[in-house]
Amino acid sequence: MALIKNNVVFFTSLLILVALFSVAVGGTIHKVGDTKGWTMAGVDYEDWASSRTFQVGDSLVFAYNKDFHDVTEVTHNDFELCESSKPLKKYKTGSDSIILTKPGLQHFICGVPGHCNMGQKLLIHVLPTSLGPVAAPVPGPVRSQSPSLANAPQSQHQMAPSSLQSGASKSASWIGFSLLALILAF
């Protein structure tokens, strides 16, 4: 019985740890249309999208009345034409969370006739995941040239390690330490 209890505690702790890790390294959550949500009433989605940066790993949350709207992901041409008959994906729950999994343009419209033409459409540009801080070149020592390398190009710079640590790697370190502490506790 004690073994079962220890296993339950261990796996519960592991699930909590995985959830914390997901939050620590997960992307930004963007509520489309902010407080107004996914609607035709007074939201300029082009303006809304232009004030944000979208990256792989971020999520779009569409909140809307499912009796009057939907979220339809479409191609660029169908976006321009407000054509919803050949969707890439269609969402109808009224509270859809879409994880951005690839860089590039993504196009969303409301598939209810007339809504897209009235402005209920969203075009976003998804950027690749940030790689964190990058080391800048710093001056290095100038070496004397050997006769055989006299005409070969010489580098005047060398790379120095960055003194900064990204937030994701700090979180991953903390989570790794926490996991180790949990394992050692058993």
Side-chain angles (χ1 to χ4, degrees), residues 14 20 65 100 145-146:
L14 190 58
L20 288 173
N65 184 330
L100 305 175
Q145 297 178 351
S146 68

Side-chain angles (χ1 to χ4, degrees), residues 52-71:
R52 288 161 177 72
T53 300
F54 303 96
Q55 290 186 307
V56 170
D58 288 358
S59 297
L60 296 178
V61 175
F62 289 87
Y64 57 95
N65 184 330
K66 68 180 182 175
D67 295 330
F68 299 104
H69 304 287
D70 68 19
V71 177

Side-chain angles (χ1 to χ4, degrees), residues 143-154:
R143 297 184 184 140
S144 62
Q145 297 178 351
S146 68
S148 63
L149 298 176
N151 293 328
Q154 293 286 319

Side-chain angles (χ1 to χ4, degrees), residues 95-178:
S95 180
D96 304 310
S97 182
I98 301 168
I99 298 172
L100 305 175
T101 59
K102 62 184 186 288
L105 297 177
Q106 285 194 255
H107 309 79
F108 302 94
I109 64 174
C110 180
V112 174
H115 290 201
C116 175
N117 289 321
M118 294 177 70
Q120 196 173 2
K121 57 196 276 184
L122 173 66
L123 167 65
I124 62 169
H125 183 225
V126 181
L127 302 174
T129 304
S130 173
L131 300 175
V134 177
V138 294
V142 177
R143 297 184 184 140
S144 62
Q145 297 178 351
S146 68
S148 63
L149 298 176
N151 293 328
Q154 293 286 319
S155 173
Q156 296 286 329
H157 297 88
Q158 66 185 26
M159 297 300 286
S162 174
S163 61
L164 300 176
Q165 186 180 22
S166 72
S169 63
K170 284 181 185 174
S171 298
S173 298
W174 179 84
I175 290 170
F177 176 74
S178 299

